[in-house]
Amino acid sequence: MILLLWRFLKIMSNGYDTPMMKQHSEIKQKYPDAFLFFRCGDFYELFGNDAVEAVKILNIALTKRQNEIPMCGVPYHAADTYINRMIKAGKKVAICEQMEDPKSVKGIVKRAVTEIITPGTVLEEKHLLNKQNNYLLSLNIKGLWCEVSYIDISTGDFEVTEVEFTRDLNVLKALLFKVRPKEIIIPENIWEENAKLRELIAENENVLINRYPEWFFNKEETTAIVLKHFKISSYKAMGIGGEKTDITTPGALIRYLNDNFRGDLSHVRRLRYNNNIGTMELDESTIKNLELLRNQNDGTIVNSLLEVLDRTKTSMGARLLKKWIVTPLTDIEVITKRLDTVEFFYREQFILEKTNRSVKNIIDLERLASRLVTDKAGPKDLIGVKNSLEECLILKELLNNIPVLHDLVSKINPLEDVVSLINEAIKDEPATFIDEGNIVRDGYSEELSTLKDIATKGKEYIAEMEKNIKEKIAVPSLKIKYNKIIGYHFEVSKLQSVQLDSSFIIRQSLVNACRYTNKELSEFESKILTARDSINEMEKEIYYTVRNKVVECLDAIQMNADIISRLDIFTSFAEVAADYKYTRPLLNDGYELSIEEGRHPVVETKLDYNEFIPNDTAINANDFIMIITGPNMAGKSTYLRQNAIIVLMAQIGCFVPAKQAVIGVIDRIFTRIGSSDNLSRGESTFFVEMAETAYILNNATSKSLIIMDEIGRGTSTHDGLAIAWAILEYIRDKRNIGAKTLFATHYHELTELEKKGGFKNYSVAVSEKNDGFVFLHKIIDRPAERSYGVYVAQLAGIPDDVVQYAEKILENLQDSVKTDDVKVNLSFEQDLFGFTEEKKAVNKHKEIVDILKFLDLDRLTPLQALTVLYDLKKKSN
Ligand SMILES: Nc1ncnc2c1ncn2[C@@H]1O[C@H](COP(=O)(O)OP(=O)(O)OP(=O)(O)O)[C@@H](O)[C@H]1O
Ligand SMILES: [Mg+2]
C-alpha cells in the first residue's frame, strides 16, 4: 500500500518538483526562447523541451531524469563545440552557472544566467567564420518603404538602408541575400501581417528570429538610444534623412544588444547610411545565376567568381571582397580610381610582393578591436596589434609617395606611441590569459622587478638566512622548510631545540623534531606570499593600462583595418590579372559594349591552357539586341554569362578576361537564366520564369544589361515563342527600355526579328565531320542552321534506337511543316527497328565495344581493371 502511494506521488510530481528542478524552471521562465545550459558539476544539463530539441541538433542521447523529465547533458570542458552547433543552427543559448562552490553549501547551490549567446551576438573567434561577416539585422516597414539595419558586432560594421517594399519583395530579397543575417529582429505586428515576408525570411535557414512588440521600435525612444550611443544630437549629423521611414531599426538593434549582449559596444563607432547612390543594384537571382559568390550546384565557393578573384591574405580583405563583388559601382570616377590602383600593382610586381608580405602579417584588426573592447582579448593579442601596426608603418612608408595610392595610404595611422608602449611593456611571447602572469617585459616597472626579485630570489635568501643563524647559534640540525599548512618554518631536532632562545616561536611539535618561526622568517614569508599575489595583480594592471591605450585608438585601428582590406583586394586583383592575363577595361559614359576576345573567368580556369575559345561582343546603339541561336552544348549560356561577368568585374574595379573591353557604364545587370523551381513558395517553373521576366521589364533602363537564356522554354512551343517574341520587341523599343540585351534561344523563328532593326543574329559555329559534329564554341554573326539537339542527345548516351527514331520524327516534322500537315504517322515498333532480340544483342555488343574504346589502360589500377571486367561480363549475359 505504501509502495503504491509512493508511486502515485512520484507520478503526480513528475520529477519536476525537486528543489533543483524548481530552480531550473524559475530561471527558464525568464529565458523562454533560449536553450538553458544548466550547470550541474562537470556538466551542462538541458531539461524538458530544451533537451528534446537539442538532442536533434547536437546528435547526443536523450535520457530521463527520475524516469520522467527528458534531459541531456554535455561535458563542461567540451561545451564550446556544442554551443557552437546550437548557434550555427540559429538557436539562442543561455548559460546558467553555479554561483557558489557546491562543497561549501548545504542544499541547493545558487545558479544564475551569466551569458546569453545568440547567432547574431557572438564574438568569440571559435563561433565565427573568419571570412564571413556575422550580421544581426532588424527591419521595419512604413507604407511602401522598408528600413533595414544590420550590425556585425565582431567588426563594428553598422549600416542602415531604406528599400522599396514592393509586392514581390524583390529588393528586400536581394538585400537579405547579400547581408545573410544570422539573426533578425522584427516587430511582432509586421511579422503577423505579412505572410510573404514571413515566407521570405523563413527561406533563410538557421536564422534566429526575434519578434518584439511595437513599443520596442518606438520612434522617439529608438532615436534617443542611437543618439546617446554615438553622442550626437540628430540623425542628420550622420547624413540620414529618414524621410521615407522612421529609422527605428538602428535603435532597436542597440536596445536588443544592450539587453542580450551585455558587452561593451564602444567599438561600434559609426552608423553608415547606405543610400545606394553610385552602386549597382543586383537582385538575388542575378547573384545566383552568375554564380558570383557560390555555385548553383552545391552552394560552395567552388567554381564561383569569388573563388577566382579571392587572393586576399587577410580575413578582413576576404570579407570586404565579398561585399565588393555584389556591389559593383556606377560612378566612373570611383571605378577609375580602383582600376588605377590595380594597374599600379599590376605593373609594379616588386612593390606588389612587398605589399603582400606586409599585409600577410596583419591580423584581423577589425575583429580584434571588438574583442579588446569587450575584454575577450588577451596579452598575445596586444602583440598581434603591435606587429600589425608595425606592418602598417612599413606599408605607409612604402606606398605613401605613390600618387594613385596617396589618398588611401596617407590615412594609415601607424600609432607609433601605442607600438612603443606595447614594445616596452609587454613581453614578445606573453601568456595567453591575463590571470597567468608572465605578461610584462622585464625592466618595464621597477616595482614589479623588485617583487619578482623577492619571489625568484626567495630560495637564495632562505639559504643565506639558514647559514647565518647556524653560524650565530651552533644548532647543526636547523633547517628552513616549507609546507602548505604552516608555511615557512625552522625545523630543529628535539634534542637541539633547547638551544634556541625566546626569539624562536614554536609552531609545531613532532615526535623527533620541533618547528619554529621568528620575526625575520615570518616577515620574509608574508613578503614572498604577497609578492606572488602582487606580481599577478600588477601584471594584470599593466596589461589593462596598455589595453586601454589601444582601445582609445580604436578609430585609427578601424580606419587602418579598412585601408588594409582595400590594399588586400587591390593586390589580389592585380595578382589574378597577371596570372590569367586580364586587361584593364575602358569605361565611359556611352552606350557601347565592345569586348574583344572575351572569356568566362571561371570556365576558362577549368579548361586546359588555350582550350577556352574567346569571343567578341559588339553592341552599339543600332544593334543592341543579340539573338543567339545554335546547338545545345555549344556555349550560348557560357557566352551570355561571360559578358555579364566581364561588365561586373569592370565595375568593381577589376581587370577583365578579354583582349580589350570598352564598356559604357551599366546601371543594372538583369539575368533570367535557367529554370529555378521554387516549389516551396508554391510557384511553378514557368510562373517563376515569367515573374522574373516581369521584374526585368518593369525595372530595366536603356543603361541596363539584360541576359536572357531561353525565355519561354517552360511552356508550349507556340506560347513560348509568342511570349519571347513580344518580350524582345518590348525591350527593343527605346520608349520602353532599349537596353543592351543578349538573348539565347532555340526558337529559330526569332531570327526573323533582325529585319526589324535593333536586333542582330548570332550563332555558335559548328563544324560537321564524317562521324559527327565539332562544337567550335565560336560566336559568329549569322543565325544557326539547325539545332543538333538529337546529336547532343546521342552524345549524352540516349540509346541509339531512340536517337534514330527521333531523327526520323524530326525529318517527318520538318517535311510536314513544309506541307502544313503536322501529323507524324510513325510508330516506334512498326516503322522503325523494333526491339527484336537480335537488335538487343547488337546494341549490347556495341555498348561493350564502346566501353573498351573509352578505357585508358595506362591509368587503370589492377582493381579498377577487375571491376571493369566484371561489369563487361555482366553486360554480356
Ligand atoms: N568559349 C568556350 N570555349 C571552350 N569551351 C566552352 C566555351 N563555351 C562553352 N564551352 C563548354 O561547353 C559547355 C556547354 O556550354 P553551354 O552550357 O554554354 O552551352 P549552351 O549552348 O548554353 O547549351 P544548351 O543549349 O544546352 O543550354 C560548357 O560547359 C563548356 O565546358
Ligand atoms: Mg544553355
Side-chain angles (χ1 to χ4, degrees):
M1 183 66 199
I2 289 174
L3 197 68
L4 263 177
L5 186 67
W6 183 80
R7 274 207 174 150
F8 174 74
L9 281 176
K10 190 166 173 250
I11 290 163
M12 291 302 289
S13 72
N14 259 350
Y16 277 98
D17 59 357
T18 62
M20 192 179 86
M21 288 316 294
K22 272 190 188 151
Q23 185 189 40
H24 176 272
S25 60
E26 268 164 31
I27 298 175
K28 174 72 195 172
Q29 260 169 29
K30 290 187 208 146
Y31 304 93
D33 56 345
F35 284 80
L36 192 64
F37 274 51
F38 195 72
R39 180 77 181 267
C40 298
D42 286 339
F43 279 81
Y44 286 114
E45 307 282 10
L46 287 98
F47 297 105
N49 263 348
D50 279 1
V52 176
E53 287 302 310
V55 290
K56 295 181 207 153
I57 299 165
L58 301 178
N59 209 2
I60 53 173
L62 184 71
T63 53
K64 287 211 166 143
R65 186 182 163 83
Q66 297 175 353
N67 294 329
E68 296 303 333
I69 308 170
M71 66 175 275
C72 64
V74 299
Y76 162 76
H77 63 86
D80 276 345
T81 322
Y82 293 101
I83 294 170
N84 205 355
R85 274 188 220 161
M86 298 300 292
I87 301 298
K88 281 220 175 95
K91 306 296 176 203
K92 191 174 196 170
V93 170
I95 305 288
C96 178
E97 291 292 353
Q98 292 172 175
M99 305 309 281
E100 300 167 312
D101 184 353
K103 283 183 214 125
S104 61
V105 209
K106 270 197 194 138
I108 195 106
V109 289
K110 226 186 254 161
R111 288 187 175 85
V113 168
T114 53
E115 203 178 356
I116 297 169
I117 310 172
T118 74
T121 61
V122 285
L123 262 194
E124 280 86 354
E125 263 178 315
K126 55 195 178 232
H127 298 313
L128 294 167
L129 291 173
N130 284 345
K131 295 189 168 188
Q132 211 166 297
N133 272 105
N134 199 68
Y135 285 115
L136 167 69
L137 178 144
S138 175
L139 63 87
N140 199 354
I141 291 160
K142 186 180 180 189
L144 293 173
W145 287 88
C146 175
E147 49 149 321
V148 186
S149 301
Y150 35 98
I151 184 167
D152 178 350
I153 55 163
S154 70
T155 63
D157 197 20
F158 192 9
E159 205 163 286
V160 56
T161 187
E162 292 167 297
V163 296
E164 261 180 281
F165 188 62
T166 49
R167 207 164 48 89
D168 54 14
L169 297 182
N170 263 317
V171 194
L172 188 58
K173 192 159 115 190
L175 185 68
L176 287 178
F177 188 72
K178 282 188 219 171
V179 175
R180 292 203 154 228
K182 295 283 183 309
E183 189 171 348
I184 295 178
I185 296 161
I186 185 166
E188 181 85 56
N189 58 326
I190 300 229
W191 177 261
E192 293 297 333
E193 287 160 17
N194 290 278
K196 278 222 155 201
L197 184 65
R198 280 203 303 272
E199 279 169 29
L200 175 66
I201 291 177
E203 271 173 34
N204 296 275
E205 267 177 38
N206 299 338
V207 172
L208 176 65
I209 296 157
N210 302 282
R211 287 173 274 161
Y212 275 84
E214 261 172 278
W215 62 259
F216 195 84
F217 293 80
N218 175 286
K219 185 180 170 185
E220 281 69 37
E221 288 175 28
T222 51
T223 308
I225 290 171
V226 176
L227 300 185
K228 184 170 163 231
H229 176 87
F230 292 107
K231 301 187 183 73
I232 47 169
S233 57
S234 83
Y235 266 133
K236 284 216 175 65
M238 301 190 123
I240 300 174
E243 272 95 36
K244 301 178 194 117
T245 68
D246 289 340
I247 309 282
T248 57
T249 48
L253 283 178
I254 298 184
R255 185 174 234 172
Y256 175 80
L257 287 169
N258 286 340
D259 291 350
N260 287 275
F261 170 59
R262 299 178 185 185
D264 192 329
L265 286 176
S266 55
H267 62 292
V268 180
R269 298 289 173 104
R270 214 153 54 106
L271 170 63
R272 227 170 325 134
Y273 179 60
N274 181 354
N275 53 14
N276 296 313
I277 292 172
T279 60
M280 188 195 286
E281 209 177 288
L282 286 184
D283 50 78
E284 183 201 10
S285 54
T286 300
I287 298 172
K288 280 187 177 166
N289 286 333
L290 297 180
E291 307 193 300
L292 298 180
L293 302 177
R294 337 165 208 278
N295 70 50
Q296 284 193 286
N297 279 345
D298 60 5
T300 61
I301 180 187
V302 181
N303 292 347
S304 66
L305 181 65
L306 176 66
E307 187 193 30
V308 175
L309 297 187
D310 190 0
R311 301 279 179 93
T312 54
K313 271 108 199 137
T314 66
S315 309
M316 308 181 283
R319 289 195 298 268
L320 186 64
L321 175 62
K322 277 189 184 169
K323 288 188 200 165
W324 277 26
I325 290 182
V326 293
T327 324
L329 308 173
T330 51
D331 183 330
I332 294 192
E333 226 175 275
V334 188
I335 302 173
T336 308
K337 243 186 176 165
R338 283 193 188 174
L339 286 168
D340 285 344
T341 318
V342 175
E343 182 170 349
F344 169 79
F345 283 118
Y346 176 80
R347 293 191 184 287
E348 303 289 339
Q349 287 289 318
F350 182 65
I351 299 185
L352 168 83
E353 270 165 38
K354 273 187 149 180
T355 308
N356 274 344
R357 236 174 287 149
S358 282
V359 170
K360 215 186 303 179
N361 292 332
I362 294 177
I363 55 166
D364 194 341
L365 288 173
E366 256 182 338
R367 287 221 161 130
L368 184 84
S370 48
R371 291 214 313 278
L372 277 170
V373 168
T374 47
D375 206 10
K376 295 206 188 277
K380 275 201 159 64
D381 293 316
L382 289 182
I383 296 301
V385 171
K386 184 197 78 174
N387 293 340
S388 301
L389 288 171
E390 281 171 348
E391 297 292 357
C392 285
L393 179 63
I394 294 175
L395 285 169
K396 188 165 184 172
E397 283 168 355
L398 176 73
L399 306 171
N400 203 23
N401 292 330
I402 293 156
V404 288
L405 281 163
H406 180 78
D407 276 358
L408 182 68
V409 172
S410 61
K411 289 193 210 118
I412 291 183
N413 184 346
L415 296 169
E416 278 150 303
D417 46 345
V418 173
V419 171
S420 38
L421 176 65
I422 300 176
N423 236 342
E424 283 161 26
I426 310 289
K427 283 188 170 173
D428 287 339
E429 284 185 17
T432 310
F433 302 105
I434 28 180
D435 299 316
E436 289 175 359
N438 195 24
I439 299 171
V440 176
R441 192 184 283 282
D442 291 341
Y444 176 68
S445 150
E446 231 175 80
E447 207 181 333
L448 187 63
S449 302
T450 321
L451 287 171
K452 281 192 173 170
D453 260 9
I454 295 171
T456 50
K457 288 185 184 150
K459 269 193 192 139
E460 289 165 35
Y461 189 86
I462 295 272
E464 188 72 23
M465 194 194 299
E466 194 182 288
K467 197 173 129 223
N468 288 346
I469 290 183
K470 271 186 183 166
E471 268 170 23
K472 231 161 72 192
I473 51 164
V475 187
S477 69
L478 182 137
K479 275 200 173 70
I480 301 181
K481 287 188 168 178
Y482 174 83
N483 73 27
K484 276 191 183 154
I485 298 158
I486 60 167
Y488 284 96
H489 54 267
F490 300 106
E491 196 176 286
V492 184
S493 71
K494 258 241 154 87
L495 271 176
Q496 293 175 2
S497 64
V498 288
Q499 284 166 256
L500 300 181
D501 62 25
S502 60
S503 66
F504 288 86
I505 304 150
I506 183 97
R507 296 290 313 271
Q508 214 176 14
S509 191
L510 307 172
V511 185
N512 294 321
C514 290
R515 289 168 172 175
Y516 298 88
T517 185
N518 71 359
K519 193 164 169 262
E520 195 185 356
L521 187 63
S522 55
E523 269 175 15
F524 164 78
E525 183 169 20
S526 67
K527 228 178 183 177
I528 210 161
L529 290 181
T530 46
R532 278 185 198 144
D533 285 349
S534 314
I535 286 170
N536 284 357
E537 274 314 302
M538 267 194 85
E539 295 231 19
K540 228 169 161 175
E541 213 179 293
I542 293 171
Y543 163 78
Y544 276 114
T545 321
V546 179
R547 183 203 75 146
N548 292 345
K549 179 80 189 159
V550 176
V551 170
E552 274 170 35
C553 304
L554 220 54
D555 281 338
I557 291 179
Q558 284 178 345
M559 171 66 93
N560 290 344
D562 184 52
I563 298 168
I564 300 304
S565 315
R566 283 161 193 269
L567 283 176
D568 199 4
I569 296 179
F570 290 135
T571 52
S572 186
F573 281 177
E575 264 178 58
V576 178
D579 281 3
Y580 296 128
K581 302 198 169 37
Y582 293 172
T583 51
R584 178 176 175 154
L586 287 168
L587 289 129
N588 60 36
D589 275 331
Y591 184 82
E592 230 177 282
L593 175 64
S594 158
I595 297 170
E596 202 184 314
E597 297 193 7
R599 284 129 43 207
H600 190 296
V602 180
V603 177
E604 75 163 344
T605 60
K606 307 296 159 194
L607 299 177
D608 283 341
Y609 180 69
N610 267 352
E611 225 177 60
F612 191 90
I613 313 293
N615 276 306
D616 299 345
T617 305
I619 293 182
N620 54 49
N622 296 325
D623 297 324
F624 55 92
I625 301 189
M626 293 176 78
I627 308 269
I628 304 150
T629 45
N632 298 93
M633 279 297 285
K636 299 183 298 298
S637 302
T638 309
Y639 178 70
L640 252 55
R641 285 191 173 91
Q642 111 189 7
N643 281 298
I645 294 177
I646 287 175
V647 167
L648 179 129
M649 285 170 78
Q651 292 190 218
I652 61 173
C654 180
F655 281 21
V656 297
K659 194 169 167 201
Q660 200 192 337
V662 182
I663 298 168
V665 170
I666 300 286
D667 66 352
R668 285 183 71 170
I669 297 173
F670 292 95
T671 57
R672 173 47 236 162
I673 295 175
S675 48
S676 44
D677 287 58
N678 203 333
L679 298 176
S680 64
R681 268 189 227 159
E683 292 164 348
S684 78
T685 310
F686 186 65
F687 183 87
V688 173
E689 182 177 332
M690 286 302 109
E692 285 189 17
T693 311
Y695 176 69
I696 298 176
L697 298 184
N698 290 328
N699 290 283
T701 75
S702 64
K703 284 192 148 292
S704 309
L705 174 66
I706 304 177
I707 301 291
M708 285 185 170
D709 202 352
E710 300 190 33
I711 285 286
R713 187 173 56 170
T715 186
S716 80
T717 316
H718 286 130
D719 281 16
L721 175 59
I723 290 168
W725 190 299
I727 287 170
L728 279 168
E729 288 217 38
Y730 184 83
I731 296 175
R732 196 271 318 259
D733 192 332
K734 291 197 170 146
R735 285 166 306 180
N736 298 326
I737 301 178
K740 289 179 268 287
T741 305
L742 279 75
F743 195 98
T745 183
H746 287 291
Y747 296 133
H748 286 257
E749 294 82 346
L750 291 174
T751 54
E752 290 295 309
L753 279 166
E754 198 178 45
K755 295 178 190 139
K756 295 202 167 194
F759 297 97
K760 199 154 171 48
N761 287 327
Y762 291 86
S763 62
V764 198
V766 177
S767 129
E768 296 201 17
K769 290 218 170 135
N770 302 341
D771 56 344
F773 308 93
V774 178
F775 296 139
L776 301 176
H777 302 304
K778 195 75 195 166
I779 301 284
I780 47 174
D781 57 356
R782 59 172 179 274
E785 279 149 19
R786 50 178 289 202
S787 177
Y788 304 90
V790 176
Y791 173 66
V792 173
Q794 185 184 13
L795 280 187
I798 300 281
D800 275 358
D801 284 346
V802 178
V803 172
Q804 286 171 30
Y805 186 50
E807 263 168 6
K808 279 263 175 206
I809 299 177
L810 188 64
E811 263 169 43
N812 251 307
L813 272 174
Q814 280 161 348
D815 290 347
S816 4
V817 170
K818 275 178 211 148
T819 58
D820 270 357
D821 176 11
V822 224
K823 273 181 236 130
V824 179
N825 296 317
L826 291 173
S827 138
F828 199 81
E829 278 91 10
Q830 293 162 17
D831 296 84
L832 283 151
F833 319 89
F835 265 119
T836 60
E837 283 307 309
E838 193 186 332
K839 184 77 191 144
K840 269 191 200 167
V842 173
N843 275 349
K844 227 185 250 175
H845 179 251
K846 188 171 174 295
E847 197 184 343
I848 291 171
V849 172
D850 279 351
I851 293 175
L852 287 171
K853 264 194 203 162
F854 183 73
L855 278 183
D856 180 354
L857 294 182
D858 293 335
R859 291 194 181 183
L860 223 52
T861 65
L863 189 64
Q864 284 166 336
L866 206 62
T867 322
V868 173
L869 197 60
Y870 184 78
D871 278 352
L872 289 177
K873 173 79 185 148
K874 225 161 105 187
K875 281 188 196 305
S876 71
N877 286 331

